[in-house]
Amino acid sequence: MQPPGGTLQRLTLPGVKYLVAVTSGKGGVGKSTVATNLALALQMHGRRIGLMDADIYGPSIPIMMGVPHVDPQTTPFPIERFGIKLMSMGFVVPANQASILRGPMIHKYLTAFLTQITWGELDYLLVDMPPGTGDAQLSLAQTAPLSGVVAVVTPQDVSLTVARRGIEMFRTVKVPILGVVENMSYFKGDDGKRYEIFRHGGGQKLAQDVGAPFLGEIPIDPRVAECSDAGDPIVHKFPDSEVAKAYLTLASLVAEELQKAGPPQELPGLKM
Ligand SMILES: Nc1ncnc2c1ncn2[C@@H]1O[C@H](COP(=O)(O)OP(=O)(O)OP(=O)(O)O)[C@@H](O)[C@H]1O
Ligand SMILES: [Mg+2]
């Protein structure tokens, strides 16, 4: 890490075609759920996928992808599960032990995750971001060769201020916003009717406000949480569900937007 006022070098990831962050201004909107299921959906489209957990303080990927505790001394990283390459702080620090790290250490860990792990040849390396616009976002936005960002919102985010702030941060450093996906959009009852439990339209409105594509709606389904908690994401466990279909569509749209955005901009190291 350079001292303040120094220049952060942009990292290179030679084997990775697209590095994509899944992000949101707010916590608990489903970033980790979207990251894991999008990873599996992209894989179903025949792509080679990695998933990096950038939530150093509250990693979710080990549980959601069903990786039990591993011994970091003897386990080669990344860990592979469902054919997806994974890295998470949860593999390094036991779940019952909180990571207490200062900002520069977050940067160091994320840099190590990106560059010291043998990711190999990947079409997409997805990054599950922690909530907000803190150290992890800043670190990745400034140094990682991000191809783009997928922003997750929930329908009730009608004020949108926080969600917007999350997006603008990446835009400031010229990372393309691939689009906005609305999670927990509606619930389809046994009667086939659509119930908009958390109102409607937050995702569309945010996409419009920030001038980014709207990437669709993912319904509420109690099986989403059950599958995540059991370590077998819904796209893998119930590939014919409406939720899985929404993820397959999301995967196609993300791939399209990445192609449109082209290769990541070659930016010089940014001033801290
Ligand atoms: N479409 C959905 N239907 C039902 N439950 C969902 C859906 N999406 C997410 N959930 C549940 O909502 C909770 C929060 O999801 P998740 O942990 O992915 O959010 P997050 O944005 O990553 O949170 P954090 O900000 O803490 O990292 C989880 O219990 C998850 O299983
Ligand atoms: Mg999360």
Side-chain angles (χ1 to χ4, degrees):
M1 182 90 182
Q2 300 281 333
T7 300
L8 288 172
Q9 285 307 310
R10 212 153 261 270
L11 309 170
T12 52
L13 291 173
V16 176
K17 265 197 208 148
Y18 295 111
L19 179 68
V20 177
V22 177
T23 188
S24 77
K26 261 183 26 179
V29 297
K31 289 174 297 298
S32 305
T33 310
V34 169
T36 47
N37 284 292
L38 176 60
L40 285 156
L42 284 165
Q43 192 198 39
M44 282 181 179
H45 283 292
R47 301 293 185 248
R48 296 162 302 177
I49 313 295
L51 175 57
M52 182 181 122
D53 190 346
D55 199 335
I56 298 288
Y57 296 120
S60 303
I61 297 304
I63 291 176
M64 290 187 176
M65 292 295 277
V67 181
H69 178 64
V70 294
D71 180 354
Q73 304 304 327
T74 54
T75 309
F77 295 122
I79 287 176
E80 199 161 321
R81 181 90 171 124
F82 308 123
I84 292 174
K85 292 182 176 172
L86 306 172
M87 186 58 200
S88 169
M89 193 66 177
F91 302 146
V92 183
V93 177
N96 57 359
Q97 202 178 304
S99 317
I100 304 163
L101 298 170
R102 288 178 178 278
M105 284 302 285
I106 300 274
H107 176 72
K108 272 196 177 161
Y109 269 104
L110 293 179
T111 304
F113 282 9
L114 282 172
T115 58
Q116 288 172 33
I117 301 281
T118 314
W119 291 105
E121 297 285 318
L122 292 178
D123 295 308
Y124 302 93
L125 176 54
L126 301 187
V127 183
D128 176 21
M129 299 298 287
T133 48
D135 292 317
Q137 284 77 4
L138 209 60
S139 167
L140 284 173
Q142 290 189 315
T143 59
L146 278 173
S147 316
V149 165
V150 174
V152 184
V153 287
T154 46
Q156 70 269 41
D157 281 332
V158 276
S159 83
L160 301 175
T161 324
V162 184
R164 219 189 147 129
R165 199 181 308 142
I167 289 178
E168 293 302 343
M169 199 206 93
F170 285 100
R171 208 164 240 171
T172 309
V173 287
K174 301 206 166 19
V175 176
I177 309 304
L178 302 172
V180 176
V181 59
E182 186 179 273
N183 188 30
M184 309 195 212
S185 287
Y186 60 91
F187 177 77
K188 186 81 87 51
D190 289 339
D191 54 7
K193 270 201 207 151
R194 178 180 158 124
Y195 297 90
E196 287 168 354
I197 294 172
F198 298 126
R199 295 191 285 181
H200 181 242
Q204 288 258 18
K205 183 164 188 318
L206 178 64
Q208 208 173 3
D209 277 9
V210 299
F214 181 58
L215 301 174
E217 304 175 334
I218 297 169
I220 298 169
D221 184 334
R223 290 178 299 175
V224 171
E226 284 159 25
C227 289
S228 289
D229 290 350
D232 191 357
I234 189 163
V235 165
H236 181 259
K237 180 94 190 260
F238 297 110
D240 295 326
S241 61
E242 188 156 333
V243 173
K245 285 179 187 148
Y247 274 109
L248 284 166
T249 307
L250 174 66
S252 308
L253 291 175
V254 168
E256 259 174 46
E257 289 305 323
L258 279 166
Q259 283 211 321
K260 279 190 218 161
Q265 288 207 22
E266 284 304 324
L267 295 174
L270 297 169
K271 290 274 182 211
M272 274 284 272

